[in-house]
Each structure stands twice: as C-alpha cells, then as structure tokens.
Amino acid sequence: MSGMLYQNYSETITYEVKNANTANYHISELSLEGNFPPNFNYTYAGDTITFSGLPNISGTYEFTVKISVAPNVTDTEGANSLCGTTDYETYKIVIN
C-alpha cells in the first residue's frame, strides 16, 4: 500500500473466516499495534477495514491489525453455536 503526501488516501482490506461462511461473523474487536501513519483513521464494518487520511509526513509505516470475530447467529437458547476467532496480519503503508 502506498500514498502521496497531502493527497487523500483510502485503502480497504477484507477479512475471510477460513472453513466457514464469513457472512456469519462480524468484527467484535479490532486493534492496531506498531507505527500507524499520523493523521490517519480506520473504520470497520461487516468484513472490511478501511484506512484513510491525509498523509502529512513521508515514511514507511508498518503496523499489525489484530481482529477478533464473533458469530452473528445464536441458537434457540441464546448461545453462540459458532466459535469466534482472533487473528492478525502485518501491513505496510509507504508515503512518498
């Protein structure tokens, strides 16, 4: 992922639950660790995470996105019949 100084930046990533229907899950927790670009934000909904901002400092920014997902459905007794999961991935944004 890369962007230019003082030009709006937006990048969307999508997660996939392996061996399951991703549509049955939602992001229940999200955290970023590492060097996230200044003047950037992130939002998440459904199965996507969007990074956006107006870069004002050039450099290489490496950070880890950690997400936890939980099932959207419950059984007849109100308990989740599917397991949640947590995973992480490291990303790099280069601003020139």
Side-chain angles (χ1 to χ4, degrees):
M1 299 188 279
S2 64
M4 300 294 292
L5 275 174
Y6 306 109
Q7 293 183 10
N8 284 323
Y9 178 93
S10 182
E11 185 85 33
T12 299
I13 59 173
T14 303
Y15 80 86
E16 178 182 354
V17 177
K18 294 183 180 177
N19 301 319
N21 182 349
T22 301
N24 290 336
Y25 294 84
H26 67 278
I27 297 173
S28 59
E29 292 181 48
L30 185 142
S31 64
L32 297 179
E33 298 174 1
N35 190 16
F36 194 63
N39 208 32
F40 269 51
N41 296 304
Y42 65 90
T43 58
Y44 59 94
D47 63 351
T48 62
I49 305 165
T50 301
F51 307 109
S52 61
L54 184 64
N56 58 1
I57 300 175
S58 62
T60 300
Y61 301 91
E62 191 167 337
F63 55 94
T64 300
V65 177
K66 180 179 177 183
I67 65 168
S68 296
V69 297
N72 293 329
V73 296
T74 56
D75 63 22
T76 57
E77 296 176 5
N80 289 332
S81 58
L82 301 171
C83 296
T85 188
T86 299
D87 204 358
Y88 61 91
E89 184 80 30
T90 299
Y91 295 91
K92 187 186 300 186
I93 296 176
V94 177
I95 304 299
N96 296 308

